[in-house]
Amino acid sequence: MTGSDCEFDPDEEPGQWKAGADEEREKRGDKPPKGKKEKKPKKTKKERGNPDFDDIEGYGGNAFHADMEAKPPSGPSGPTGDQPEMKFADIPNLSEDDCKKAFEKFAKDQFCYGTKPAKECKILSAKGVTALHYIMESFSENRSTKKKKIPYKGGKVDGPDNGPAPKAWDISVKPKSEFKDDKVKKEVPHTAKVKKCKDCKGRGWETCDDCDGWGKVECDSCDGSGQAEEGACAFCFGDGQRMCLDCGGDGRVTCEDCEGYRKLKCFIQLKVKLTSLSFLIIKINIAYTIVLQVWPITSFPVKEINEQSAKLVNTHRTKWPNEVIHKQRQTLRGVPVTECEYEWEEFKSRFWVYGSEQKIYAPDYPHQCCCGCSII
C-alpha cells in the first residue's frame, strides 16, 4: 500500500535497533547522575506518544487506548409468529408409605446409623411441595472499536488502498460456543497504515533515564570519589563511576512502543464481547426450555412465575441497547420435595424426601453413632 500518509515501503526489511549499533547519543546534564537517584516511573501506554494516524472512513472518533461502542443494526423487538403451546409436566406427590420406605433405605445406607427409628417410627404427616428454579438467559454480542498500534516487523499491510473498510457489524465473527462468555479481537480490513514511532522519533531507542544517556552513574559506594579507607574503591576501581545496569553502559534503551523496529503498524481493532446474560429466580416451589427469542411463560399454575417471566423477557429485550441478542433460553425446572413429620418413642422431628431419586435430608436422626460402636 502506498498512501500519501503511510510510511510503508514493501521493499524495506524492518531492522531492529541494537545497543551499540551507532554512536548517536543524547546525554542530559554535564556529568553522570548519582547512582542512588530515584528512578522515574515508566510511561504508561496512555502517556506514550501516538503516531499521526488519521481517522478511517466509517470509524471517525476512534482513538488509541479507548474503546468506542459500535451501535448495532436494528433487529426484531421480540419473537415472531404465534406463541407456542407451553406444556408442563406434573410432579407426583409421595404417599406416607413411600416416605417411610425412603427413610428406611436412608438409615440402612448410612454407615453406623441405627435403623430402628426409621423402621419403628410413625409418620404423622407428609406434605408435598415443589422447589421451582427459573432461569432467563440471553446470549448477546457487543462490538467496539479503537485505534491500535503494534511494532511493524514486516509483512503485508492491508490499508485503505485495498478498498473501503467494512462496518463493525458487517465483519463475520463466529462464537466458539453458545451461552458462554468469550472475547475476540481482530484487525478491521483495509484500515492499516505504517507510521514512524513518535515516542522514539523513529530511532528505535530512547535515552536511558537511569544514567541520563551517559552509560555510567556515580558510584554510590564511594560517592564518586573513587576512594575508600583502604585505598581505591573496590566497586568502581577508583574511577568514581560505574556502569549503568539498566542500559548495560550504552546510554540508550530499546523503545517499548516499537520494540526497536522504528515504525508502528496502526489499524482499527474490532473487539467482540460475547456474553451470556442471565437472571435467576428460586421460589418454594417442572421443566420448560425454549431457544431463540422467547415468549414469556404465561400458563404456569403459579402466578408469580408467569409475572416474573414476563418481566424478565421484557428486560432482556430493552436493557442492553448496544448489544445484539443472538439466542435466548429460559428454563423452568422443578424439584419435588416432601416434608414429613414423624414420631419415634418420645422423639419427634422432621425429615425431607427430595428429587426423583427420593433422597433424604434428616439432620436430627436420633441414632447417629461414632465408629466402632455396636447398635442392636
Side-chain angles (χ1 to χ4, degrees), residues 25-28 199-200 203 205-214 246-247 251-254:
R25 298 286 193 278
E26 280 186 359
K27 296 179 180 178
R28 308 188 195 111
D199 231 34
C200 67
R203 299 174 299 190
W205 59 267
E206 296 177 276
T207 298
C208 176
D209 283 331
D210 270 19
C211 66
D212 289 339
W214 287 83
D246 205 50
C247 65
R252 302 164 297 178
V253 292
T254 302

Side-chain angles (χ1 to χ4, degrees), residues 134-310:
Y134 174 66
I135 302 176
M136 172 66 197
E137 298 171 275
S138 288
F139 183 54
S140 69
E141 178 180 338
N142 170 276
R143 295 193 174 194
S144 59
T145 57
K146 70 176 180 181
K147 290 181 177 179
K148 179 75 175 178
K149 57 182 179 179
I150 59 174
Y152 177 63
K153 302 178 182 180
K156 181 182 177 182
V157 177
D158 182 14
D161 285 0
N162 293 326
K167 295 179 180 179
W169 285 95
D170 291 340
I171 300 170
S172 177
V173 178
K174 293 184 178 180
K176 295 178 182 177
S177 57
E178 295 176 348
F179 294 98
K180 285 190 177 181
D181 293 356
D182 194 14
K183 284 184 181 179
V184 178
K185 295 179 181 179
K186 62 190 308 182
E187 178 182 327
V188 175
H190 315 330
T191 62
K193 295 180 181 180
V194 175
K195 308 292 291 183
K196 182 171 71 175
C197 179
K198 204 166 188 176
D199 231 34
C200 67
K201 303 174 185 176
R203 299 174 299 190
W205 59 267
E206 296 177 276
T207 298
C208 176
D209 283 331
D210 270 19
C211 66
D212 289 339
W214 287 83
K216 296 181 178 181
V217 294
E218 184 182 275
C219 178
D220 49 19
S221 180
C222 64
D223 291 327
S225 68
Q227 299 297 311
E229 291 183 3
E230 63 277 7
C233 175
F235 292 92
C236 64
F237 304 103
D239 186 47
Q241 298 175 349
R242 61 172 176 79
M243 183 181 70
C244 174
L245 299 178
D246 205 50
C247 65
D250 186 86
R252 302 164 297 178
V253 292
T254 302
C255 174
E256 289 189 12
D257 231 20
C258 68
E259 297 179 7
Y261 284 92
R262 303 178 175 86
K263 292 183 179 182
L264 296 167
K265 177 184 172 182
C266 303
F267 56 92
I268 301 296
Q269 178 181 268
L270 170 69
K271 182 170 75 174
V272 179
K273 186 177 180 182
L274 298 156
T275 310
S276 182
L277 306 163
S278 63
F279 287 92
L280 167 65
I281 296 175
I282 299 178
K283 175 183 164 56
I284 286 296
N285 152 358
I286 319 201
Y288 174 74
T289 304
I290 188 168
V291 179
L292 301 175
Q293 280 196 302
V294 299
W295 293 89
I297 294 174
T298 58
S299 56
F300 192 70
V302 180
K303 181 182 177 182
E304 185 180 348
I305 291 295
N306 298 328
E307 291 174 349
Q308 291 296 331
S309 176

Side-chain angles (χ1 to χ4, degrees), residues 92-106 123 126 338 340 351 353-354 357-360:
N93 292 321
L94 296 179
S95 66
E96 292 183 3
D97 188 51
D98 292 329
C99 296
K100 182 78 181 298
K101 289 179 180 178
F103 199 32
E104 291 178 14
K105 184 178 184 303
F106 160 77
I123 303 295
T338 303
C340 299
F351 67 87
V353 188
Y354 63 93
E357 297 178 356
Q358 298 183 7
K359 294 184 178 181
I360 298 289

